[in-house]
Amino acid sequence: MSDIHQGGAVATSAPPSSVDEGLAPGDLAAKYGLSVSGARPGLFEYIRELWSRRHFILAFSSAKLTAQYSQAKLGQVWQVATPLLNALVYYLIFGLILKAGRGMSTEVYIPFLVTGIFVFTFTQNSVMAGVRAISGNLGLVRALHFPRATLPISFSLQQLQQLLFSMVVLAAVAIAFGSYPSLSWLLLVPALLLQFVFNTGLAMIMARMGAKTPDLAQLMPFVMRTWLYASGVMFSIPVMLADKPAWIADILMYNPAAVYMDLVRFALIDGYAASNLPAHVWATALGWALLFGIGGFVYFWKAEERYGRG
């Protein structure tokens, strides 16, 4: 016990209660009903919190999309111009010089190439945004309490909105080369929905990894470029690998980027028949979406309390 004298008054501080002596910090917190700040909620409670912030997710993704090209004179035009310019470069190199479109007419190959660029860019940008979702928004993460999964989900939704703008141009390219609207175009909806779920799960995985290792953002462009060349963006995998062991083509055709590209191509391009798709392609697309969508979400949630710390 100690006495403090101030202005003639005596204040006495009592010693800590003996009943609390020897208690571990965790036991002491439990005894008085204290909880860890920012502790990870249960999985279903976490999902409920995310759902309650659905309006924020949508508004945040829309704001990011608008701000992305705010400093450019052409503004949102670059959303479509960038993948189109990439498609032009790839057509000059792979289509004209390397003849990568063998087995396809020009009316099929050009929509084939443009579709591949647009659809792969959707996944590529989702992954790159996911890597920086936490490490690039530390101020927001440390200042406010909210489910951190809202960030990678918002960035994936931003990329989906950007792709939907691009689909207008993609449809125009398909029509210009003889593929007119038909019932098969309705298959775009489930194909892009499954790809969005896959992209979101992959973005969550990369967000957790990027939060721990920010340098991962410097490595990912090389990884994505390798994935692009291995996914048949510029060429038909079965035709290009016809003289190679069949298992090599199977691995490349069943990789998720190739699966979602082929589904969109099949829906849009009249000359791209079902024979160009791997067997059980819809089941494969659903499997990739569920595996990465659910697995990525759980993987991200397990590190919820660690984001923004350290």
Side-chain angles (χ1 to χ4, degrees), residues 90-91 94-95 100-101 104 109 112-113 116-117 228-229 231-236 240 265:
Y90 288 132
Y91 176 70
F94 290 91
M104 289 181 278
Y109 181 66
F112 171 95
L113 177 62
I117 295 295
L228 179 146
Y229 292 132
S231 298
V233 174
M234 293 81 63
F235 55 86
S236 170
M240 189 64 66
R265 285 164 171 164

Side-chain angles (χ1 to χ4, degrees), residues 26 29 33-40 145 305 309:
L34 303 177
S35 60
V36 178
S37 176
R40 183 185 70 204
H145 175 69
E305 70 274 10
R309 299 188 178 186

